[in-house]
Amino acid sequence: ASALDHPNVCAIYELGEYRDRPFIVMQMLEGQTLREWIDHATGQDSPSCLKQLLSFGIQICRGLEAAHEKGIIHRDIKPANIFITTRGEAKILDFGVARFLAQTKEGNEHSTTGDKAEELPGAEKDAGPAQSGHLTRTGESVGTPSYLSPEQVRREDLDTRTDLFSFGLVLYEMASGQRAFAGKTAVAIHDAVLHLPATPPRQLRPGLPSRLEAIINKAMEKDRDLRYQTASEIRGDLEKLAASLKLSPGSAAGDALTLKSGGRGRRFWRILTPGFVLLAAAVIFGIVYYRSQMSGRVTEKDTVVIADFSNSTGDAVFDDALKQGLTIALHQSPFLSILSDDKVAANLKLMTLPVSATLTPDLAREVCQRAGSKAYISGAIAALGNEYVLGLKAVNCRSGDVLAREQVTVTAKEEVVAALGDAAARLRGELGESLATVQKYDVPLEQATTPSLEALKAFTMAYAEANRGSYRTAIPFYKRAIALDPDFAVAYAHMGQAYANSGQDEPAVKSIQQAFQRRSRASELEKFYIETRYYELVTGEVEKRIESLQLWKRMYPRDPIPTNDLAAEYTDMGRYEQALQEAQETLRLAPQTFTGHVLTGVSYMGLNRFAEARAVREKQVALKLADVWDHVDLYGLAYLENDVAAMQREAESVKGRPDEYRLLRVIAGRAASQGKLREARGAYRQAIESAQRNGSLDSAKAMAIELDLVDALVGNAPKAGWEARAAAAPAGDDQALTTAGRLLAMRVTPAAPERSRMP
């Protein structure tokens, strides 16, 4: 410190020793500590108070600049270590734990200011050296707990950015009158510093300029790479803010900045000041403010990435469940577009990372940049005593600027889901969504999902399994969620889809019926999901389903599900031009979805555009998005082109797979259509056995009915029990019901001429 000669650092005149005891001769200062100024200024919103805040902040930055230029890190910046003289000068005190940059490896070195950690928050009373120990002495941790940087808490090697974080905490306290991170013990404070966002200053003091809040937030970034990198950067932003507010950036002793002009010019400005000047200034400030606000906001063309939650509570029930809840809450918005799981997974693969990698804020930011998204949203939850503190933060992944943040505190675990939904709704507004749509599409999260955290966790685990294509393993988790909350409509709906995707049509129908009965307990988006599946699997009302899908598409134009399902309906109806249009739109919205490729290929086939169909399929295989249906369609193309070798190749490619029965069913149907009954029967039997092994009992039933129909059509006497099989056709399988209807109708038609029984 004696190497520093700067007006914003307390001067040290002499270092010496008297009777074997060291002493320091320091500058004599008159005034008060910044702690005393904060206590006096708390609750005051006057311009002079804001002017002093900016002036002191700028001067502290200058002092830090001087220290950092000499390679000195203070490591204990706090209000008690900053002195305000009677002339309005801010001076940094107490370099007791300061180190040169080359000496900042924390190791086992410990020192602290104030009383013992277990006596916090009263540890730092700042009433005087005798009570609080303003001079740093040996203790439990480097610096004062409430003003440590995350890297100090983690005992990492330090650089000058640690002082900038601590200064951000000081600036926060100057602006809001409260500490950013408080707690009854040092452990609780450290946990908050590492994992929790601070309450937005303007929430505590609404009159603060938004630009000041942005400066504070950037200084307090937990990731030092996202933080201000130098004290001069903070000083520059504070000076710009002071200039824009017409406040002097220098000493706090003077009045507000006044215009200096002489003669007629001065009289001219006096005349215009009440009218034109104020109006012009307001217009200019409004334009600048609007542009600065809009440049940081998310637009309808942008996408956002949702990071995994940071859970420091030690309670596993929060793991993944809060991210799933946040995703559902934000998906209600027709304004926000969330980067899909498929796209996140694709980017992780490009980074040579597993798709199951934890999406930390750092990783989310990189994925966000790679995907061309605008921002990422991170969340954190921590326990403080009997309370839970939940925080959300949206960050521009290019600049690192914080676009929006929310923090809520609840007194019980049961309140967390509702609090998360409320915070998400406010965050939507901060990101630029209109108040009208936030209010219109904001079903409370506990109603859109479930108030039970345990049920939400079970649903999250089920959803993850289903996303991996493991529909059968997802079903028990869905059942668990429903057992915990019997009115969990969304869980019923997704369980129904899992049943349908695994060839279990009857339980699929029952689950969708249950979801439809409870659809009032779902968001607008999930209501579309439930209704369209109800019309598809339960009632078979195709026109109602198409009408609902089209409405879904209009209200949520960036959601690929309605376009995908419309393509599927149109292919079933033979309307291939419309199907192709919807399938291509699906691929535009979700380029990595395999169903988009499937339906595009099917549409091309329906239009006899076989070369394009093959190109789509081969691209899908190259992207490693292949499914058994790809092999089914490639087999069909080979059949149409009479390419026997290609047909054999596709049949071999699925041999032994659990879903082999899907292609065997096609092979059986082809053989039957050619009159190759022996081959058809063999293929059907293999397909039925494959489906049974896979647990797809409804598919096995459907194929048994098809085999009965083949026998009946060629005049062979149906096997015993065919009527019972026809009557038991799976309720959700349109093809099976149609086949059963044809088979049963044959019972009342005139007998066909006697034909010889074929082998």
Side-chain angles (χ1 to χ4, degrees), residues 568-618:
E569 287 298 334
Y570 291 144
T571 56
D572 286 348
M573 300 168 74
R575 293 157 63 174
Y576 295 114
E577 289 285 359
Q578 289 174 283
L580 180 60
Q581 182 179 349
E582 298 294 347
Q584 289 176 329
E585 177 65 6
T586 301
L587 286 181
R588 186 188 70 80
L589 294 169
Q592 298 295 323
T593 178
F594 81 91
T595 54
H597 287 86
V598 169
L599 291 165
T600 303
V602 170
S603 300
Y604 277 133
M605 288 175 67
L607 294 168
N608 294 327
R609 294 162 65 175
F610 300 139
E612 289 161 296
R614 182 179 295 281
V616 169
R617 286 297 194 220
E618 289 173 349

Side-chain angles (χ1 to χ4, degrees), residues 313 315 318 381-383 386-390 408-410 412-413 416:
T313 66
D315 191 338
F318 296 112
I381 187 167
N386 295 325
E387 296 182 335
Y388 291 92
V389 182
L390 185 72
V408 291
T409 302
V410 295
K413 184 190 297 186
V416 168

Side-chain angles (χ1 to χ4, degrees), residues 320-621:
D320 301 324
L322 293 184
K323 179 184 179 182
Q324 183 70 41
L326 177 62
T327 303
I328 292 173
L330 295 179
H331 261 311
Q332 295 192 58
S333 168
F335 170 82
L336 284 178
S337 179
I338 298 170
L339 193 70
S340 68
D341 293 336
D342 289 340
K343 290 183 180 179
V344 171
N347 280 281
L348 289 174
K349 287 179 181 177
L350 291 174
M351 297 162 66
T352 67
L353 291 172
V355 295
S356 59
T358 300
L359 216 59
T360 62
D362 286 342
L363 187 53
R365 185 181 185 186
E366 188 169 351
V367 169
C368 178
Q369 291 174 341
R370 283 174 174 268
S373 297
K374 177 65 174 285
Y376 70 88
I377 299 174
S378 61
I381 187 167
L384 290 177
N386 295 325
E387 296 182 335
Y388 291 92
V389 182
L390 185 72
L392 301 176
K393 181 171 66 174
V395 180
N396 184 310
C397 59
R398 296 289 177 186
S399 67
D401 293 337
V402 176
L403 305 180
R405 65 171 77 222
E406 285 295 331
Q407 179 175 308
V408 291
T409 302
V410 295
T411 56
K413 184 190 297 186
E414 294 73 21
E415 300 172 6
V416 168
V417 174
L420 176 62
D422 292 341
R426 292 196 298 272
L427 194 77
R428 287 164 56 187
E430 289 185 56
L431 289 173
E433 184 174 351
S434 70
L435 180 61
T437 60
V438 172
Q439 291 176 338
K440 183 176 181 180
Y441 303 106
D442 182 30
V443 177
L445 184 57
E446 69 275 20
Q447 180 180 330
T449 57
T450 172
S452 167
L453 268 170
E454 288 77 8
L456 184 58
K457 181 176 177 63
F459 175 81
T460 302
M461 296 171 74
Y463 194 84
E465 290 294 319
N467 262 358
R468 288 192 286 269
S470 303
Y471 302 112
R472 290 188 175 280
T473 56
I475 290 169
F477 291 112
Y478 284 129
K479 287 183 176 179
R480 169 68 177 160
I482 291 166
L484 291 166
D485 182 0
D487 289 325
F488 198 166
V490 177
Y492 280 110
H494 286 272
M495 183 170 71
Q497 191 63 50
Y499 274 127
N501 289 348
S502 56
Q504 303 177 72
D505 298 307
E506 289 188 15
V509 169
K510 291 178 182 177
S511 297
I512 297 298
Q513 284 175 324
Q514 295 286 345
F516 190 77
Q517 292 168 8
R518 294 165 174 80
R519 66 190 184 281
S520 61
R521 283 201 54 197
S523 67
E524 289 300 317
L525 182 61
E526 294 291 353
K527 283 178 184 174
F528 281 125
Y529 184 88
I530 292 169
E531 289 174 358
T532 54
R533 270 134 191 83
Y534 179 78
Y535 295 136
E536 175 191 18
L537 297 176
V538 180
T539 67
E541 296 173 279
V542 176
E543 292 304 326
K544 279 190 176 182
R545 174 168 159 79
I546 289 176
E547 183 181 341
S548 185
L549 287 169
Q550 288 172 336
L551 182 59
W552 182 352
K553 178 183 171 182
R554 285 197 298 273
M555 292 181 67
Y556 293 90
R558 289 175 296 175
D559 191 335
I561 295 178
T563 58
N564 180 84
D565 289 6
L566 281 168
E569 287 298 334
Y570 291 144
T571 56
D572 286 348
M573 300 168 74
R575 293 157 63 174
Y576 295 114
E577 289 285 359
Q578 289 174 283
L580 180 60
Q581 182 179 349
E582 298 294 347
Q584 289 176 329
E585 177 65 6
T586 301
L587 286 181
R588 186 188 70 80
L589 294 169
Q592 298 295 323
T593 178
F594 81 91
T595 54
H597 287 86
V598 169
L599 291 165
T600 303
V602 170
S603 300
Y604 277 133
M605 288 175 67
L607 294 168
N608 294 327
R609 294 162 65 175
F610 300 139
E612 289 161 296
R614 182 179 295 281
V616 169
R617 286 297 194 220
E618 289 173 349
K619 178 184 177 182
Q620 186 175 354
V621 173

Side-chain angles (χ1 to χ4, degrees), residues 110-165:
H110 304 284
S111 57
T112 189
T113 298
D115 299 317
K116 295 181 180 179
E118 58 267 21
E119 295 175 4
L120 292 169
E124 192 198 348
K125 303 292 185 183
D126 288 357
Q131 289 88 343
S132 65
H134 283 184
L135 293 178
T136 303
R137 55 181 163 74
T138 299
E140 298 190 356
S141 62
V142 177
T144 306
S146 294
Y147 302 96
L148 296 180
S149 68
E151 51 266 35
Q152 282 178 292
V153 174
R154 290 191 293 262
R155 302 283 179 84
E156 296 173 349
D157 292 353
L158 303 182
D159 56 33
T160 55
R161 292 173 292 180
T162 186
D163 286 345
L164 305 186
F165 183 89

